[in-house]
Amino acid sequence: DLSKRLFKELQATGYVRYEDVPLKTKAGRPVDVEFVSNVYFVGGVSVVQCNIRDNTARKHTEEGLRRMAAIIECSGEGIVGASLDGVIESWNPASERLFGYRADEILGRNVSALCPPELLAEQARLIERVRGGKNIQQFETLRLGKAGKPIDVSLSLSPIVDEAGRLAGFSGFYRNITQSRQLEAKLLQSQKMEGIG
């Protein structure tokens, strides 16, 4: 039984700390708590102090973060996290496949490294809108791969806020639309040729 084990350890060492101790509330709701107890002496008498903190909310938050991390890792879209000034802070495997940069080659660089020079002003306008709290949804544009090859992408940008609700950066979602663009171009060419005939 856990309580007996905790008490024996407390008697032997004068201190115990356990995380994720399963308890139930008076209403029967399960909670996970952090349990810290220590022994100290007051006027020659042993006093036991116990501190119990409900970790349920923290555990749910951590679980949510683990799930989100798994989704980002497995996503087919390139997902890039950047600071407010555009410095790349996170880079998922799909970003590596799309752009050709390993994370260690691109982290710490500015997102402008992915942008053709002639589209830098467009990118600055998009980032400025995100800094203003706006989302950008499925904006079709060009970006550059590691070898300098242009890639047609559908780009979505979202602001990232910190715990205090302040804007902390932005995330970019990149989907390769090169094949669909090529198919559109072939279809348009075919329609033009049929119109000529």
Side-chain angles (χ1 to χ4, degrees):
D1 168 70
L2 179 62
S3 59
K4 287 180 182 175
R5 212 168 62 239
L6 289 172
F7 188 66
K8 280 184 181 178
E9 187 175 336
L10 181 61
Q11 285 178 314
T13 66
Y15 176 82
V16 277
R17 180 180 182 276
Y18 280 88
E19 286 193 35
D20 304 327
V21 177
L23 297 177
K24 286 189 178 179
T25 64
K26 186 176 179 180
R29 181 178 61 87
V31 291
D32 287 311
V33 301
E34 175 186 33
F35 178 84
V36 179
S37 186
N38 58 347
V39 178
Y40 59 97
F41 294 93
V42 177
V45 177
S46 295
V47 178
V48 176
Q49 177 182 347
C50 296
N51 297 306
I52 299 174
R53 181 173 57 192
D54 185 349
N55 283 338
T56 307
R58 179 186 57 81
K59 285 192 74 178
H60 285 301
T61 300
E62 289 173 355
E63 178 67 22
L65 290 172
R66 281 194 296 274
R67 287 181 185 186
M68 185 60 67
I71 290 167
I72 290 169
E73 282 294 304
C74 296
S75 174
E77 284 192 357
I79 302 175
V80 178
S83 65
L84 280 178
D85 54 358
V87 174
I88 298 170
E89 297 176 333
S90 62
W91 185 261
N92 75 337
S95 297
E96 183 175 331
R97 291 189 297 274
L98 176 61
F99 293 109
Y101 291 99
R102 294 186 322 270
D104 64 333
E105 295 175 307
I106 198 73
L107 292 177
R109 294 181 64 185
N110 198 282
V111 290
S112 60
L114 306 173
C115 190
E118 66 274 15
L119 295 179
L120 286 172
E122 172 194 272
Q123 176 176 272
R125 285 192 301 272
L126 293 172
I127 292 173
E128 198 53 41
R129 285 185 61 197
V130 174
R131 283 183 182 148
K134 307 280 188 215
N135 285 310
I136 309 292
Q137 294 296 322
Q138 298 175 0
F139 182 82
E140 295 189 2
T141 187
L142 281 176
R143 289 296 177 260
L144 294 178
K146 182 179 176 181
K149 180 181 174 187
I151 305 164
D152 289 297
V153 297
S154 174
L155 169 63
S156 297
L157 297 173
S158 299
I160 298 173
V161 294
D162 63 17
E163 290 177 0
R166 294 182 302 256
L167 191 62
F170 61 92
S171 56
F173 300 81
Y174 298 85
R175 185 166 46 88
N176 190 340
I177 58 169
T178 303
Q179 285 186 328
S180 60
R181 281 281 181 91
Q182 289 170 346
L183 287 172
E184 285 171 16
K186 285 180 183 177
L187 182 61
L188 188 61
Q189 184 65 27
S190 152
Q191 288 171 343
K192 283 182 181 177
M193 291 178 74
E194 287 175 9
I196 294 171

